[in-house]
Amino acid sequence: AFNEMTERLGTNEARRRQLLADVAHELRTPLSVIQATLEALIDGLYPLDEAHLRAILAESRGMSRLLDDLQTLSTAEAGALTLHREPTEPRQLIDAAVKSFTLQASENGVRLEGGTVGTIPAIDVDPFRIAEVLSNLVSNALRHTPAGGEVRVTAVATEHGVEFSVADTGTGISPDRLPHVFDRFSRSADSPGAGLGLAIAKTLVEVHGGRIRAESGPGGTTIVFTLPPAGGEG
């Protein structure tokens, strides 16, 4: 038992050090851009115009999003995330997610559709947090789906509750990376994000008593998560 405890402590410490290294890495790039741009403005190498100020603002907003995401993860994993649950219709969540990304999908040449299958019971969730889950999943799907492809968001009732799925027709995830897609800072080489979207989705689903999984192949990727119905347990 002592050896097992020691091993767990060693594993947790290694994860803590890796997390700090990952955070430092993610913050270093925007900080370098901000610093270099400000130094060039001070030295007169760049004109003090709106374009350069907006570049600084964009980098600072990116840092702010990263810190917000990390706070959400740490709060949820510590069991301190407050959920404002209420009976919520799955179709409303799907319609809102599709509406939010319709313009982006159109600009990317990707067909984005959403719907439900059969009669779907209400779910007892924090609608803001589940909307965040769907937003992360749809955004990720659109990012990896080429023009002419499709992203579809659906929900269906199962014996365990309500099963949501976000399916794309992208290139798929490599078999060696698939088991790690929900890890913090896990991302493909061509991904512009910090690699926290799926980690946040997993954490928020689990604090609701749900489960999430990823399926992928040459024809695309599907992320599936199940949430218990209102008054039920997952």
Side-chain angles (χ1 to χ4, degrees):
F2 180 79
N3 289 338
E4 289 176 357
M5 181 185 68
T6 302
E7 183 177 353
R8 284 198 303 271
L9 289 174
T11 300
N12 290 337
E13 177 61 18
R15 289 177 177 173
R16 185 188 67 82
R17 288 198 300 267
Q18 184 60 52
L19 175 61
L20 290 175
D22 289 337
V23 171
H25 174 76
E26 293 298 328
L27 291 176
R28 186 175 294 113
T29 298
L31 276 173
S32 296
V33 172
I34 291 172
Q35 180 178 341
T37 304
L38 287 174
E39 289 176 347
L41 290 172
I42 292 173
D43 294 339
L45 300 177
Y46 291 162
L48 185 60
D49 56 16
E50 181 178 344
H52 289 94
L53 292 177
R54 285 191 177 278
I56 295 173
L57 180 61
E59 294 295 338
S60 65
R61 284 175 173 168
M63 291 174 60
S64 179
R65 284 194 299 272
L66 173 60
L67 293 173
D68 286 344
D69 288 346
L70 286 169
Q71 183 176 29
T72 297
L73 279 171
S74 61
T75 303
E77 290 177 354
L81 184 67
T82 301
L83 296 178
H84 301 283
R85 291 178 180 265
E86 58 184 72
T88 304
E89 296 295 332
R91 182 57 188 256
Q92 293 179 353
L93 293 169
I94 291 177
D95 288 346
V98 170
K99 183 178 180 181
S100 296
F101 287 94
T102 294
L103 178 59
Q104 180 181 335
S106 177
E107 291 176 344
N108 293 351
V110 175
R111 184 167 66 255
L112 174 61
E113 297 181 348
T116 55
V117 180
T119 303
I120 310 291
I123 49 179
D124 187 27
V125 299
D126 183 329
F128 174 78
R129 292 301 183 181
I130 299 305
E132 189 175 358
V133 172
L134 287 170
S135 178
N136 279 330
L137 298 184
V138 173
S139 175
N140 195 61
L142 288 174
R143 188 181 301 124
H144 294 94
T145 303
E150 178 183 16
V151 173
R152 183 161 185 81
V153 188
T154 58
V156 61
T158 72
E159 60 179 324
H160 300 295
V162 176
E163 182 180 275
F164 292 81
S165 66
V166 178
D168 66 58
T169 57
T171 55
I173 302 169
S174 62
D176 61 319
R177 203 174 74 82
L178 188 59
H180 306 288
V181 294
F182 295 110
D183 295 347
R184 290 178 178 181
F185 299 105
S186 173
R187 60 181 177 184
S188 59
D190 59 347
S191 177
L196 290 176
L198 292 181
I200 290 174
K202 178 178 184 292
T203 299
L204 292 179
V205 166
E206 290 179 347
V207 298
H208 278 85
R211 292 164 292 178
I212 189 169
R213 69 181 189 274
E215 304 167 354
S216 190
T221 300
T222 301
I223 306 295
V224 181
F225 66 94
T226 304
L227 296 172
E233 295 182 358

